[in-house]
Amino acid sequence: MSSAGLLVSIVIVHYRTPDVLVRCLDRIRAAGAGPGIEVIVVDNAPLDDRSERAAASAGARYFKNVRNVGFGRAVNQGLKEGRGEYLLVLNPDVEVQPGSIEELVAEMERDSSVGIAAPRLLYPDGSLQHSCRTFYTLSVFLLRRTFLGRLFPNHRLIREHLMLDYDHASTRPVDWCIGASLLVRRRALEDVGPMDERFFLYFEDVDWCQRMQTRGWKVVYHPAASMIHHYARESARRPGKGLLLHLASTFRYYEKWSFVLYWLKMRTSTIRRIVLVISDFIAVNLAFLLAYVIRDLSGGFLTKPTFGFGRYSRFLLFSDAVALLAMALAGMYRSRRREEAGEQVLGTGRALAATALIMMASTFLFATPVYSRLVVGLFLPLAFVLILLLRWGIFSLQGSARSRRLHLRRIGVLATPEALAEIERRLGQHPEFGFDILPLAGEAAILMTPRGGRPAEVEEAVRLWVNDERVHEVVLFEDWPGGGAERVLARLNREAIPVRFVPRFHPALRRGARMDDFLGFPALRLSSAGPAARSWEKRLLDGALASIAILVAAIPFAAARLVLLLAGRRLEWSERIGRAGRRIRCGRLPGPGPAGIFRALWEYPTLLLWLRGEWSLVGIHPFSAELWERLPEDYRRLPPDAAPGWVTLAGNPEGQTLDALCAANLEYAGRQSLALDLDLILVRRGRLKGAR
């Protein structure tokens, strides 16, 4: 090893195996590791400080995770800290033999196209461990992980997968090698990226090697370098948590690399619409059946007899057609945003209200008197409940899969570092979105040398990146520092790759903008109506709630104020910043005050502001006049045109920065609607987390 500069960084990840780690560090030291090597230990959820003391004794850099973040993420933490030209990912149960690291580096230096080099692994008794493999296929997986393997232990597919007929004595390119010991070139790491952290344990090595080859880098098995490996992944075969982790990683791997699954995921929107249509069809028919049963059971209280269900068959078909058409016209099969709780409630209610009106009218228009208006009247609330229950059941299953990092929609993001940071912040607050964000930095090596060194224009490099990484959708910011945004957009459109384009003036846009046409030029059309006009339902609801609260709380408030006057205390008045930066005076009873519905009693004078549209149940965070001068100048120059509220998009303001509160207010002002308000109320009360 050259001591002129750091050449190799060894990254060791372990989980509560301090004794094994000590042996691994001793073997590295005994192998004659010189000044050209650094050792990095990443410790997942240690129970004591033995590993830290062992790392310090060996001169290794030590990093600790308070919880087990998984093998892939911990490896990436170590790779990020590594400073060497080459990085060796090493399991703690591997014993480094003298000269093995030098041999791997020498092979890398002989062939600059090698991205990963792996040594020959031996069991402690000196026998060969078959560590180089071919990529998994479904047939191989069934033979390796099910009872079929016991029936056909020497099947040709197993022998080919384990490369049993290869002499393992000569260097050769392979599909992949197990991740117990992998030397990766830094330039290849920068080009391909680190391990995929979706794989908590198992298959992260297979995925990494496959991405290397997709990008034009070789994965080489180099038996001249040999190491002893004590572990044989028995946990993947035994029933229990290890087997479950292995199965979960297997599913993630096939979900990511299977052409069939990728083809299906690219058509997720179509499949989603079909599933929702079927779900709504079942709910509508079940609601009609329940309404008929209730009418039949109530026959003893009604004068007219119940006709047979067969007499309703034509009318039921008519109901199905009208209900599904109304749901479609309400946009309930259109976008993922319709999964929000508020959108579900409002959209379904509007669609079924129209359905009920048409059905009630049809009982007079049809030339037959057999249709019971009681059946038709019961149909609306039953269908409303059943449609929401089935839809939320579907969304809950989707959310459960997303929370387990399954069935994620891979989003390629081309944006500025600031926009990427904001995207990651919002995604951290809402993991139920189900997005696997894959950012592409403007200075990434992939743009200059896509697929292992062949130069290409930026639009071609992005296209190759999208195909190589199995990206389902691209989000392209106009001010993306990689340049050529117009050419990139045109190329992705030509390749029929779904794209969301975010213009550089996006802060000035508001929800509801849509593509239009002006003399043949595509143009964004913004509604001419202001926020108040666009949310007339919200204003109507606020006025109704305020009127009810004013009447109900009038006597209790008068009594409370009389007690205060007798005690010599007065109402507390403060100046707040309201809609469009206007200053409003808010009054309340003294003291901290309760939460929930009793807040209306404590802040009774504020209810009068509701009637004027200056306050709302759900709105922006109301800043005090003292804080106003400390807010960002851009926010004060163009404050959001939305009323303050008791429930806000920012949630609990305690502990949040002023910038975060301003960002939440601006986001709410651009998206405000009655549906969003309902969604925030439901989320706040913990009844439902809307999956978007």
Side-chain angles (χ1 to χ4, degrees), residues 307-347:
F307 291 91
F309 190 79
R311 302 283 294 273
Y312 286 87
S313 58
R314 291 177 59 189
F315 190 68
L316 180 56
L317 292 175
F318 174 71
S319 303
D320 290 333
V322 172
L324 295 180
L325 179 61
M327 293 287 285
L329 293 176
M332 301 306 292
Y333 306 122
R334 212 167 33 230
S335 66
R336 287 172 57 88
R337 186 162 296 283
R338 292 296 180 181
E339 295 179 19
E340 293 179 0
E343 292 282 6
Q344 288 295 307
V345 172
L346 282 183

Side-chain angles (χ1 to χ4, degrees), residues 237 240 287 339 412 422 443 482 527 532 537:
R237 299 180 177 88
E339 295 179 19
E422 178 61 19
E443 68 278 3
S527 172
E537 295 169 309

Side-chain angles (χ1 to χ4, degrees), residues 141 145-146 201-203 236 240-254 406:
F141 175 77
R145 301 302 177 200
T146 68
L201 188 62
Y202 308 118
F203 276 89
K241 186 176 181 180
L243 179 60
L244 292 177
L245 287 173
H246 197 277
L247 292 175
S249 293
T250 302
F251 182 82
R252 290 186 181 97
Y253 176 78
Y254 280 111
L406 298 173

Side-chain angles (χ1 to χ4, degrees), residues 67-375:
R67 63 182 180 88
N68 185 4
V69 298
F71 180 74
R73 180 174 295 184
V75 166
N76 291 344
Q77 292 172 347
L79 295 176
K80 186 176 181 180
E81 296 294 332
R83 298 169 292 186
E85 182 181 349
Y86 300 98
L87 302 106
L88 177 64
V89 178
L90 190 71
N91 278 12
D93 56 359
V94 173
E95 296 183 17
V96 174
Q97 301 298 295
S100 58
I101 298 178
E102 289 86 344
E103 269 295 340
L104 290 175
V105 172
E107 176 61 25
M108 286 278 203
E109 304 244 333
R110 279 192 292 269
D111 188 350
S112 61
S113 65
V114 176
I116 289 179
R120 175 173 56 178
L121 297 180
L122 305 173
Y123 289 109
D125 62 1
S127 60
L128 177 68
Q129 188 174 126
H130 294 93
S131 58
C132 56
R133 316 278 174 86
T134 62
F135 287 128
Y136 277 93
T137 63
L138 183 58
S139 302
V140 169
F141 175 77
L142 292 176
L143 288 169
R144 289 273 290 160
R145 301 302 177 200
T146 68
F147 68 93
L148 295 175
R150 299 187 185 93
L151 299 177
F152 308 100
N154 295 313
H155 195 279
R156 174 183 58 83
L157 292 176
I158 294 181
R159 297 189 64 83
E160 291 177 354
H161 171 67
L162 297 177
M163 303 180 67
L164 298 180
D165 299 325
Y166 163 52
D167 62 6
H168 292 81
S170 57
T171 300
R172 62 171 290 178
V174 295
D175 282 356
W176 67 282
C177 295
I178 66 175
S181 178
L182 297 176
L183 184 71
V184 60
R185 189 188 302 272
R186 177 171 292 279
R187 190 157 58 87
L189 174 65
E190 293 172 348
D191 183 18
V192 175
M195 288 186 172
D196 189 337
E197 297 179 2
R198 288 187 297 171
F199 299 96
F200 186 87
L201 188 62
Y202 308 118
F203 276 89
E204 66 285 319
D205 44 8
V206 191
D207 173 77
W208 209 19
C209 291
Q210 186 152 355
R211 288 161 53 207
M212 284 284 173
Q213 295 188 48
T214 301
R215 297 282 298 130
W217 296 96
K218 293 180 184 176
V219 176
V220 169
Y221 175 76
H222 187 52
S226 65
M227 300 180 185
I228 297 175
H229 187 205
H230 289 262
Y231 184 50
R233 286 193 171 189
E234 291 299 327
S235 63
R237 299 180 177 88
R238 294 195 304 266
K241 186 176 181 180
L243 179 60
L244 292 177
L245 287 173
H246 197 277
L247 292 175
S249 293
T250 302
F251 182 82
R252 290 186 181 97
Y253 176 78
Y254 280 111
E255 182 191 34
K256 181 175 180 179
W257 292 106
S258 167
F259 172 78
V260 174
L261 291 179
Y262 179 65
W263 186 89
L264 290 174
K265 289 184 74 172
M266 289 295 289
R267 288 151 182 82
T268 300
S269 297
T270 301
I271 296 173
R272 174 184 174 277
R273 292 189 190 100
I274 294 173
V275 171
L276 290 179
V277 168
I278 294 174
S279 170
D280 293 345
F281 177 80
I282 293 173
V284 168
N285 283 270
L286 185 58
F288 202 97
L289 177 62
L290 289 176
Y292 177 83
V293 170
I294 293 173
R295 170 63 179 86
D296 187 51
L297 293 176
S298 61
F301 305 98
L302 302 175
T303 57
K304 294 184 179 180
T306 304
F307 291 91
F309 190 79
R311 302 283 294 273
Y312 286 87
S313 58
R314 291 177 59 189
F315 190 68
L316 180 56
L317 292 175
F318 174 71
S319 303
D320 290 333
V322 172
L324 295 180
L325 179 61
M327 293 287 285
L329 293 176
M332 301 306 292
Y333 306 122
R334 212 167 33 230
S335 66
R336 287 172 57 88
R337 186 162 296 283
R338 292 296 180 181
E339 295 179 19
E340 293 179 0
E343 292 282 6
Q344 288 295 307
V345 172
L346 282 183
T348 303
R350 291 165 180 165
L352 291 183
T355 302
L357 288 175
I358 295 174
M359 290 175 60
M360 291 293 287
S362 69
T363 62
F364 296 96
L365 298 177
F366 275 75
T368 175
V370 302
Y371 304 128
S372 168
R373 293 180 179 84
L374 177 61
V375 173

